[in-house]
Amino acid sequence: MSTTHAERSPDALDAGIALVRPALRAAVRDYLSHETELVAGYHHGWSDEQGRPTEEWSGKLVRPSLALLSARSTGADPADGVAAAVAVELVHNFSLLHDDIMDNDSARRGRATAWTLFGVPRAILAGDALLAAATGVLLDSGKPGAGTAANSLATATRRMISGQAADVEFERRDDVTLDECLRMAGDKTGALLSCACSIGAELLGAEAELLHRLARFGEHIGVAFQLVDDLLGIWGEPERTGKQVLADIRVRKKSLPLVFALNEGGSDELSALYHGSEPLDEKQVHRVAELVERAGGREWTHEELARRVAGARECLEHDGLPRSVREELLEMAAFLTDRRF
Amino acid sequence: MSTTHAERSPDALDAGIALVRPALRAAVRDYLSHETELVAGYHHGWSDEQGRPTEEWSGKLVRPSLALLSARSTGADPADGVAAAVAVELVHNFSLLHDDIMDNDSARRGRATAWTLFGVPRAILAGDALLAAATGVLLDSGKPGAGTAANSLATATRRMISGQAADVEFERRDDVTLDECLRMAGDKTGALLSCACSIGAELLGAEAELLHRLARFGEHIGVAFQLVDDLLGIWGEPERTGKQVLADIRVRKKSLPLVFALNEGGSDELSALYHGSEPLDEKQVHRVAELVERAGGREWTHEELARRVAGARECLEHDGLPRSVREELLEMAAFLTDRRF
């Protein structure tokens, strides 16, 4: 998840960084062995490949910040939610380490990916170790909802894996439906954000209605984030987003605007271009974008995004939620979905 | 873990198979998505690569059988330990799926490894999904010790990962000590067997002294199993073990007899041969085996094996342990360590 954002960060992110950074480092030190800690430390950005400290910590800690807000939603001190925040970030980084191998990606956050430096075996192991550490962090926390929080995190992890597996499978298929694609986005991106938004409260034993609302808020935000990402992958301004324009079309990604256009009102020309196997030339790439727009793919994605953001806002209309927490959650939602395009 | 054993299987294994096979299949079906289930089903041996049922289930279910004995040690019905048995087997298979990628192994249990058929990404994901499923199976069990059992399994998983990481690291080092090597064996092989032997009782809320003894029993058995494996890797009879004679020396594996010999009373000749980078010829392979034996590596390994087996037996001298369970645990210990060599 990468954003290029000129504006001020939400307060929640600053608070998240102050509380979570040291706890996250401590967890990696305490729960990982020397060999996997080296790889994980590099991946998190606090050390170089020899284990020497760096100043370039690059993660924004979006999920931990949401987890702390979630803890605060019960009226608790954010510090009481740190174990939840750390656990969800460990799972996020487990998935990044493994996804970079699967996607054959050589760069992340402006640095070489871990597997390119340490090799695939050590990057797999470091990811595995982070996932097992997350369970330990929660169950060792001594908080009343530790068991149910660990179970929710495991469930979210399975959904995330299932979404990634579906994404891998979609690359080989020409008949992906919009429903499948939305479900994949919900699993791949929504599940862990949903868990981040509820796990802090769950760890502290919050009541079911609040948990349900926080989880649904996070799910909406996750899918909204994916919709934004998909819009930027075609129509983004490179100087704002860091992404090449039309990047997703060049690799024939089955992103949501494309899958909408291919299924609803798309043309034979679009199908032929997108399902072919020869590389698309520059003219064809622009033609695909034009055909997607003509089929309503761009408009539908904007509308779906608006529906998700409205849905997220609605989830927070709950008397049990402190006003300051609601405002900060909405600020986080705007931060994640209001990237200019 | 592979054994070639002409004798009758322990009763515990037969019981394990009857109770655990259907539960394990149900867990994979219920906790994995379609895409990862296909890979996991192939890996477990109950389907082929198209997902068609096979009759060739190949796992012996050693760890689940130990987990059921562990449940019975509290006086409970073995069925009460099925969630523990399934969880520990899921973690074992998670590690096999990932280890096969890391070790670049193309065959397991007489079939192609999953990654060679489905590709590295899908094999990584299936492993990840099995690990996350294990946590879910335990925490959904509704048993009194679900949380502590899930925590113990996560701790064992981290130790196992740490052992595998150390093993990978040892390949690049010439100064591995005997202590490091024993710790690696304890982590890589002992930790999960230790957990298997205690997790059934832990799930059912057994008292600490019994859990401690069962865990130590399993740890001893795990290291003993590794010592046997290392002896067979040099001096095994291929027709009994299925392993090529002197196999570990050919690949310069840092197995326990070798590390003993290199550190204690080894010769410059042995160090030069073993730390070289040119492939060893047949004469040199036999010379290494001779030098290891002369340095006491074979004798020490047999002695350490005897100490571990005795230690394991001692752990079961406890009034709280039903006699039938003690006998079946000892039968399992013999099954795992008494392979002829």
Side-chain angles (χ1 to χ4, degrees), chain A residues 31 33 35 94 98 101-102 121-122 124-125 128-129 131-132 136 139-140 147 150-151 154 158 161-162 164-165 169 172, chain B residues 31 33 35 94 98 102 121-122 124-125 128-129 131-132 136 139-140 147 150-151 154 158 161-162 164-165 169 172:
Chain A
Y31 285 87
S33 69
E35 293 86 6
F94 137 78
H98 284 189
I101 300 169
M102 292 179 224
R122 296 168 78 192
I124 291 178
L125 280 169
D128 293 344
L131 179 54
L139 293 175
D140 286 338
N151 206 357
R158 289 196 304 275
I161 292 165
S162 148
Q164 170 71 4
E169 198 209 353
R172 299 191 309 274
Chain B
Y31 285 88
S33 70
E35 293 85 7
F94 137 77
H98 284 188
M102 292 179 222
R122 296 169 77 192
I124 292 177
L125 281 169
D128 293 345
L131 179 54
L139 294 174
D140 286 339
N151 207 356
R158 291 196 304 274
I161 293 164
S162 147
Q164 170 72 3
E169 197 208 355
R172 299 192 309 274

Side-chain angles (χ1 to χ4, degrees), chain B residues 219-237:
Chain B
E219 181 94 20
H220 280 308
I221 293 302
V223 176
F225 183 88
Q226 191 58 57
L227 290 159
V228 170
D229 218 50
D230 286 359
L231 285 167
L232 295 175
I234 305 180
W235 297 287
E237 298 171 32

Side-chain angles (χ1 to χ4, degrees), chain A residues 71 76-84 137-150 199-205:
Chain A
D77 193 88
D80 289 328
V82 167
V137 165
L138 285 172
L139 293 175
D140 286 338
S141 71
K143 300 291 183 190
T148 54
I199 194 170
E202 191 167 21
L203 185 68
L204 303 176

